[in-house]
């Protein structure tokens, strides 16, 4: 009997139920208790320090040394009071996860004792050794220094692991020369340019607006598997997905998992996750079963983008940690199981003013509805122009299994707005483009827009679940983001392209006003141009259909199915010019990111290729050969005993099938290894990534095909790996 698999199954069956002690009472009693949030700051800081921090948060004002010292000392007092012994600068390097290096508050003193210290300098800047983080050539080896710098706009928090408590300070991570080595630095820059551009445009409608920030509400999908089974699957351990495995007789076809009642083990995990998230001020709102068996989702109330990104990173970290406490593993990979839905992360994005107005929410007056339409159309125009950048921002080896691989959504970036808003845009285009459009028509059109828009709320139900980029009533929902990725990547692109488009909008409107048009007239004229120029990106139909792929090609929309191809958009001349102009990335930073991602892609495919080779040769073939031996001796003894052929024919056929597949698998693996040797000699990151994508990856499915066929015929007791039916249905 195959020991590993059956031992794992026994372990799952014999495990006692875990009982977690959760705080009783209302969530609001413990929500945010581990965060140095505004309320805490008000309590712990002097009024002058408090005012300075608020100014830093809201207007990016610099905090001077003296104030930083005061803040640090209050932060320390608070953290120590909460039981923290260490602090860390918490950052988001380009590995995709978070990084931390803990230092103790404690310093020894001459008298043989010690004290707890933490000053402004330690709060504001640290110098972790950057040499082991991806830098894409930004950090010459002789200059390994990198700096982390405090981001006051995201509050410090206390991370509790076992009995240990650490004060975590959200920071950006830059090289010695100031180039970004993380996601947060460019994200903050993109928010700033977006704010400037959006405020300028807002003032056409409301002179009092001073700040605009993008908001993000993410929805996180994930799988849970039992930890014992997880460990019996080297592919899950090493790559986060199953590279082999036959689909179970029952998958998701009965659609009985979605919104189904939550398994008790999973429920306990979710409750503990939520509790920890609440303490950290992550405003989780929903939890439910997803479409695939073993798949779940959670989502918070939306927040300002920077904070929402930090919270998502923090949550992914928490999920992993807490799942282990429950003898489970969380799989954040975009496609842990073939032929079963993968996981994504929907990024709901909008813009909000300091006066509390959601700019993508329909207004109450003709004026606010014109404002709504302005931001709505400008965003669509930005996506029509820069869809390739958005595609690049969500490209990863894992996400390739979703985008362009017959699973939602396709690699074609299009925008769904619903028939109602489509009608509004048609109307604007039709009326404004008429040569005779005058002041009177303008007044009428404004009223007409106003009258039509409130119905939008009813149209809300008209959801198109197949669209990668859908307007859902008061926000755009970017659905093609990978479940494992850092939300910042697409958010940086969104903020930047919309900022660029708003600038362009303002320039065009100003030019028309200078030419004698009244303001609203100018605005409507530019909107009409934008609507016309954005037509190609609007699509209301089934995004999974073959017809759409053809139609999209006719419209000139890209359909880039693989990561190396998608990433090219980052280093196109126009893209670099755009990011430089907006001050979000320098050319050097973009080239560096491009290279890091290509390298990351090649490495991931390389690891998968190795795992497939190892599993096939060390696990699958030995099992298949044992069974082959049994069949062979069985056929031989039946034949020797003089039985007619028809009585051992079935076994002989099985034997032939198994033997052929064994030969085939071995041959394909040898060929794949040869291709890998060739690719590994390549120096150029792009060339290498393409080789991994085009010459090596296609072997995966070919090898898998035979392995999965073997799984169906080899004696179940010999099969070495937990099967899908065991992994997907929680005990
Ligand atoms: P669903 O899409 O599942 O029907 P909702 O529309 O209520 O649910 O919200 C889904 C997600 O959209 C949530 O994460 C929520 O925080 C987010 N969201 C709602 N409004 C906004 C907004 N103005 N800006 C950004 N995200 C938002
Ligand atoms: Mg949604």
């Amino acid at each position: 009997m195959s020991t590993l698999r059956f031992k794992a199954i026994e372990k799952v069956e014999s495990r006692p139920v875990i009982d977690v002690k959760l705080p009783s009472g209302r969530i609001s009693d413990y929500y945010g208790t581990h965060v140095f949030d505004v309320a805490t700051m008000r309590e712990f800081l002097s009024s002058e320090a408090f005012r300075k921090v608020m100014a830093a948060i809201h207007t990016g004002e610099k905090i001077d040394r003296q104030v930083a010292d005061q803040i640090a000392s209050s932060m320390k007092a608070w953290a120590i009071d909460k039981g923290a012994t260490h602090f860390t600068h918490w950052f988001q390097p380009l590995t995709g996860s978070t990084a931390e290096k803990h230092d103790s508050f404690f310093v020894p003193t001459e008298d043989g004792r010690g004290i707890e210290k933490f000053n402004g300098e330690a709060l504001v800047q640290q110098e972790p050794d950057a040499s082991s983080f991806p830098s894409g050539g930004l950090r010459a080896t002789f200059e390994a220094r990198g700096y982390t710098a405090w981001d006051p706009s995201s509050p410090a928090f206390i991370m509790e692991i076992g009995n240990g408590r650490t004060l975590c300070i959200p920071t950006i991570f830059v090289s010695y020369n100031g180039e970004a080595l993380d996601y947060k630095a460019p994200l903050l820059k993109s928010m700033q340019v977006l704010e400037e551009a959006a405020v300028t445009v807002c003032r056409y409608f409301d002179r009092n607006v001073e700040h605009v920030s993008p908001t993000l509400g993410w929805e996180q999908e994930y799988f849970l598997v039992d930890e014992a089974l997880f460990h019996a699957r080297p592919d899950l351990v090493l790559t986060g997905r199953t590279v082999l495995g036959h689909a179970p007789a029952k998958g998701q076809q009965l659609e009985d998992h979605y919104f189904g009642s939550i398994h008790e083990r999973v429920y306990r995990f979710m409750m503990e996750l939520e509790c920890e998230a609440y303490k950290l001020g992550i405003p989780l709102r929903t939890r439910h079963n997803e479409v695939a068996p073993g798949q779940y989702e959670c989502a918070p109330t939306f927040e300002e983008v920077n904070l929402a990104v930090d919270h998502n990173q923090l949550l992914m970290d928490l999920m992993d940690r807490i799942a282990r406490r429950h003898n489970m593993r969380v799989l954040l990979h975009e496609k842990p199981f073939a032929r079963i839905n993968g996981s994504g992360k929907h990024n709901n994005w909008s813009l909000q003013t300091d006066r509390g107005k959601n700019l993508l929410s329909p207004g109450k007056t003709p004026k606010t509805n014109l404002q709504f339409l302005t931001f709505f159309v400008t965003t669509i125009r930005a996506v029509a122009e820069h869809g390739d950048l958005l595609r690049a921002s969500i490209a990863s080896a894992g996400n390739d299994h979703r985008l362009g691989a017959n699973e939602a959504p396709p690699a074609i970036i299009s925008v769904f707005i619903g028939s109602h808003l489509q009608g509004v845009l048609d109307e604007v285009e039709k009326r404004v483009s008429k040569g005779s459009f005058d002041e009177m028509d303008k007044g009428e059109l404004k009223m007409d827009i106003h009258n039509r828009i409130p119905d939008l709320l009813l149209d809300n139900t008209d959801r198109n679940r197949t669209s990668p980029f859908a307007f859902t009533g008061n926000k755009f929902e970017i659905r093609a983001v990978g479940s494992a990725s850092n939300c910042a990547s697409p958010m940086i692109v969104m903020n930047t392209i919309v900022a660029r488009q708003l600038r362009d909008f303002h320039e065009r409107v100003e030019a028309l006003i200078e030419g004698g048009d009244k303001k609203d007239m100018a605005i409507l004229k530019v909107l009409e141009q934008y609507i016309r120029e954005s037509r190609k990106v609007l699509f209301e139909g089934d995004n999974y259909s073959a017809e759409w792929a053809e139609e999209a090609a006719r419209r000139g929309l890209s359909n880039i199915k693989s990561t190396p191809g998608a990433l090219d958009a980052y280093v196109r001349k126009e893209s670099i010019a755009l990011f430089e102009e907006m001050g979000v990335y320098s050319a050097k930073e973009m080239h560096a990111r491009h290279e890091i991602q290509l390298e990351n892609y090649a490495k991931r495919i390389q690891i998968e290729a190795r795992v497939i080779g190892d599993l096939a040769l060390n696990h699958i073939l030995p099992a298949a050969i044992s069974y082959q031996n049994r069949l062979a001796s069985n056929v031989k003894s039946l034949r020797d005993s003089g039985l007619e052929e028809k009585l051992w024919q079935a076994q002989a056929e099985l034997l032939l099938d198994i033997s052929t597949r064994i030969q085939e698998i071995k041959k394909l693996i040898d060929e794949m290894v040869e291709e890998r040797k060739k690719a590994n000699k390549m120096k150029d990151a792009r060339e290498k990534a393409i080789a991994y994508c085009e010459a090596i990856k296609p072997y995966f499915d070919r090898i898998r095909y035979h392995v999965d066929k073997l799984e169906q015929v080899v004696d179940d007791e010999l099969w070495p790996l937990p099967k899908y039916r065991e992994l997907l249905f929680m005990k």
Side-chain angles (χ1 to χ4, degrees):
M1 185 185 280
S2 149
T3 48
L4 194 60
R5 171 170 164 236
F6 285 93
K7 267 191 193 150
I9 293 171
E10 268 168 29
K11 209 164 165 183
V12 178
E13 284 169 349
S14 62
R15 211 150 29 204
V17 172
I18 295 175
D19 192 22
V20 209
K21 296 263 171 305
L22 294 175
S24 55
R26 288 176 302 197
I27 293 168
S28 53
D29 291 342
Y30 54 92
Y31 184 77
T33 47
H34 284 36
V35 187
F36 198 62
D37 53 17
V38 175
T40 314
M41 284 194 276
R42 195 179 287 124
E43 185 185 330
F44 276 77
L45 295 179
S46 69
S47 57
E48 134 123 326
F50 180 73
R51 204 178 42 74
K52 287 271 166 70
V53 179
M54 288 298 122
I57 295 172
H58 296 301
T59 61
E61 205 173 279
K62 283 252 170 329
I63 289 176
D64 64 40
R65 234 347 245 288
Q66 212 193 339
V67 176
D69 275 335
Q70 277 187 41
I71 297 168
S73 127
S74 309
M75 228 184 234
K76 181 186 76 179
W78 171 76
I80 289 176
D81 191 43
K82 291 264 172 201
T85 52
H86 288 63
F87 69 93
T88 178
H89 275 198
W90 184 78
F91 57 104
Q92 300 170 27
L94 296 167
T95 53
S97 45
T98 54
E100 48 198 83
K101 175 189 145 234
H102 301 189
D103 284 299
S104 66
F105 290 123
F106 167 84
V107 280
T109 47
E110 276 183 7
D111 60 2
R113 295 295 176 85
I115 51 164
E116 269 70 29
K117 263 193 169 168
F118 182 60
N119 59 16
E121 194 183 330
L123 166 67
V124 171
Q125 188 175 308
Q126 293 272 298
E127 196 183 310
D129 182 0
S131 57
S132 301
F133 292 106
S135 82
L138 282 180
R139 191 204 51 235
T141 31
F142 60 86
E143 189 45 270
R145 268 184 294 177
Y147 293 99
T148 51
W150 179 35
D151 165 23
S153 65
S154 182
F157 55 90
I158 289 172
M159 185 62 107
E160 200 175 1
I161 302 178
N163 290 326
R165 287 172 189 198
T166 303
L167 171 68
C168 297
I169 298 150
T171 54
I172 61 165
F173 181 40
V174 294
S175 76
Y176 180 67
N177 296 318
E179 284 123 354
L181 295 173
D182 72 346
Y183 286 104
K184 195 190 258 281
L187 179 67
L188 291 173
K189 288 180 185 168
S190 74
M191 290 171 67
Q192 201 186 336
V193 283
L194 177 58
E195 157 142 36
E196 282 162 20
V199 167
T200 311
V201 171
C202 262
R203 295 222 169 122
Y204 282 136
F205 309 96
D206 181 355
R207 300 224 144 266
N208 298 314
V209 169
E210 289 193 32
H211 300 291
V212 172
S213 18
T215 50
L216 164 64
W218 40 262
E219 299 164 56
Q220 176 76 52
E221 293 178 341
Y222 60 97
F223 279 85
L224 284 171
V225 294
D226 188 279
E227 191 164 41
L229 298 173
F230 172 87
H231 280 300
R233 290 284 315 213
D235 48 357
L236 278 182
V237 175
L238 298 174
T239 71
R241 76 177 182 102
T242 53
V243 294
L244 308 169
H246 187 262
K250 174 182 182 289
Q252 60 191 51
Q253 66 272 56
L254 296 179
E255 296 170 340
D256 53 355
H257 193 253
Y258 191 58
F259 283 12
S261 75
I262 299 170
H263 190 294
E264 248 188 84
R265 259 185 92 181
V266 174
Y267 190 54
R268 275 192 287 271
F269 155 80
M270 286 177 171
M271 290 199 297
E272 191 176 353
L273 172 66
E274 285 162 7
C275 173
E276 294 302 317
Y278 291 144
K279 287 192 212 158
L280 289 166
I282 304 173
L284 288 181
R285 281 293 294 280
T286 58
R287 53 163 114 105
H288 62 81
N289 284 1
E290 254 307 320
V291 171
Q295 194 186 27
Y296 310 90
E297 180 185 301
C298 63
T301 301
F302 69 92
E303 301 173 284
E304 173 264 354
V305 168
N306 181 37
L307 192 56
V309 166
D310 283 1
H311 281 166
N312 181 244
Q313 289 296 112
L314 201 49
L315 185 94
M316 290 196 288
D317 191 43
L318 279 180
M319 287 171 108
D320 184 62
R321 216 127 28 76
I322 292 166
R324 289 171 198 239
R325 286 187 210 154
H326 292 254
N327 296 323
M328 294 191 282
R329 283 304 178 103
V330 63
L331 305 178
L332 289 170
H333 193 284
E334 284 75 11
K335 192 75 176 173
F337 302 100
R339 290 179 290 275
I340 281 178
N341 265 27
S343 300
K345 176 143 58 194
H346 297 176
N347 280 14
N348 295 272
W349 178 94
S350 189
L351 290 166
Q352 184 154 306
T353 71
D354 52 345
R355 305 177 67 76
K357 168 95 185 92
N358 175 355
L359 293 170
L360 289 173
S361 181
K364 291 197 172 66
T365 62
K367 191 157 115 182
T368 48
N369 273 329
L370 189 59
Q371 168 171 293
F372 158 73
L373 204 63
T374 295
F375 283 92
F376 176 70
V377 170
T378 307
T379 304
I380 296 172
R381 180 76 191 90
V383 176
E385 181 81 14
H386 301 291
D388 284 358
L389 277 175
L390 262 186
R391 171 69 185 91
S393 77
I394 52 173
S396 71
N399 218 12
D400 279 1
H401 291 279
R402 300 172 66 231
L403 310 177
N406 303 324
E407 186 179 321
I412 308 161
I413 301 289
S414 68
V415 181
F416 169 84
I417 60 173
S419 54
H420 193 80
L421 277 163
Q422 186 79 55
V424 174
L425 300 196
D426 291 346
E427 200 59 28
V428 174
E429 187 180 345
K430 194 174 90 204
R431 308 241 292 248
V432 180
S433 64
K434 261 208 334 245
S436 61
F437 188 69
D438 61 16
E439 276 296 313
M440 213 163 76
D441 298 332
K442 182 201 78 182
E444 257 177 40
L445 177 57
K446 258 181 80 179
M447 269 322 285
D448 188 36
I449 295 170
H450 176 62
N451 290 334
R452 279 165 171 259
I453 281 176
D455 294 343
L456 180 65
L457 297 172
L458 301 174
D459 198 36
N460 229 345
T461 46
D462 182 11
R463 295 271 188 96
N464 183 330
R465 286 271 153 209
T466 68
S467 176
F469 196 101
F471 184 72
T472 49
N474 57 4
K475 63 201 182 279
F476 281 101
E477 181 167 344
I478 311 168
R479 302 211 183 99
V481 185
S483 47
S485 57
N486 186 318
C487 297
S489 180
M491 292 295 101
I492 293 166
V493 168
M494 266 317 281
N495 295 344
T496 309
I497 63 177
V498 173
R500 179 70 195 80
Q501 203 64 51
L502 286 167
R503 265 194 204 175
D504 178 80
F505 177 83
H506 183 250
E507 282 160 19
R508 292 201 206 187
V509 169
E510 288 302 304
L512 288 174
I513 292 176
E514 227 154 84
D517 276 330
K518 290 241 177 68
K519 187 180 75 186
D520 285 357
M521 188 69 160
I523 289 172
L524 281 168
K525 281 187 180 170
V526 178
L527 289 181
E528 188 273 330
Q529 290 169 8
Y530 277 8
I531 293 167
R532 215 168 353 103
E533 294 163 359
S534 310
R535 283 276 171 212
K536 64 167 185 181
V537 85
L538 295 177
F539 181 63
E540 306 287 298
D542 178 3
N543 284 256
Y544 306 167
S545 67
E547 295 78 49
W548 169 230
E550 287 163 25
E551 163 73 13
R554 272 195 297 279
R555 294 190 191 183
L557 296 176
S558 308
N559 185 1
I560 309 162
K561 300 200 168 165
S562 72
T563 293
L567 291 174
D568 281 347
Y570 271 147
V571 286
R572 276 190 210 134
K573 255 201 351 259
E574 314 82 77
S575 311
I576 291 178
L578 166 80
F579 280 100
E580 284 202 314
E581 181 197 339
M582 304 310 284
V584 173
Y585 287 128
S586 66
K588 213 165 146 194
E589 287 172 322
M590 291 196 76
H591 281 290
R593 260 153 225 263
H594 181 234
E595 185 160 323
I596 290 168
Q597 296 230 59
L598 287 169
E599 278 172 2
N600 182 283
Y601 177 84
K603 282 180 193 157
R604 282 187 194 271
I605 303 296
Q606 181 183 46
I607 293 169
E608 291 190 350
R610 287 179 180 157
V611 170
I612 290 172
D614 284 356
L615 282 183
L617 295 178
N618 302 329
H619 292 67
I620 307 301
L621 291 195
I625 290 166
S626 296
Y627 192 53
Q628 183 189 35
N629 275 336
R630 238 158 75 188
L631 279 172
S633 52
N634 177 262
V635 169
K636 185 171 182 304
S637 54
L638 291 175
R639 193 183 54 199
D640 291 353
S641 66
L643 284 177
E644 285 174 68
E645 187 175 341
K646 68 174 188 216
L647 294 173
W648 43 266
Q649 201 179 2
Q651 289 94 313
E653 276 167 19
L654 260 180
L655 183 59
L656 177 67
D657 182 45
I658 290 173
S659 305
T660 319
R661 294 196 192 282
I662 291 174
Q663 298 310 311
E664 201 54 31
I665 290 170
K666 174 71 172 60
K667 184 180 115 247
L668 287 168
I669 288 174
D670 289 344
E671 283 175 30
M672 180 170 79
V673 170
E674 282 314 305
E675 288 298 333
R676 242 158 59 205
K677 283 185 190 154
K678 278 193 242 163
N680 291 343
K681 290 206 187 81
M682 296 175 180
K683 291 275 173 290
D684 179 66
R686 183 172 177 275
E687 195 190 344
K688 191 171 180 170
I690 291 173
Y692 266 99
C693 178
E694 290 174 4
I696 293 153
K697 201 169 152 237
Y699 280 101
F700 295 4
D701 279 346
R702 294 173 65 194
I703 295 167
R704 178 177 192 145
Y705 174 77
H706 294 292
V707 172
D708 291 357
K709 286 283 180 207
L710 284 176
E711 186 183 325
Q712 285 177 285
V713 293
V714 169
D715 182 355
D716 183 61
E717 299 232 319
L718 292 173
W719 198 254
L721 302 173
K723 298 184 170 183
Y724 271 27
R725 61 164 193 263
E726 290 147 357
L727 290 164
L728 284 166
F729 300 94
M730 186 77 68
K731 275 266 181 189

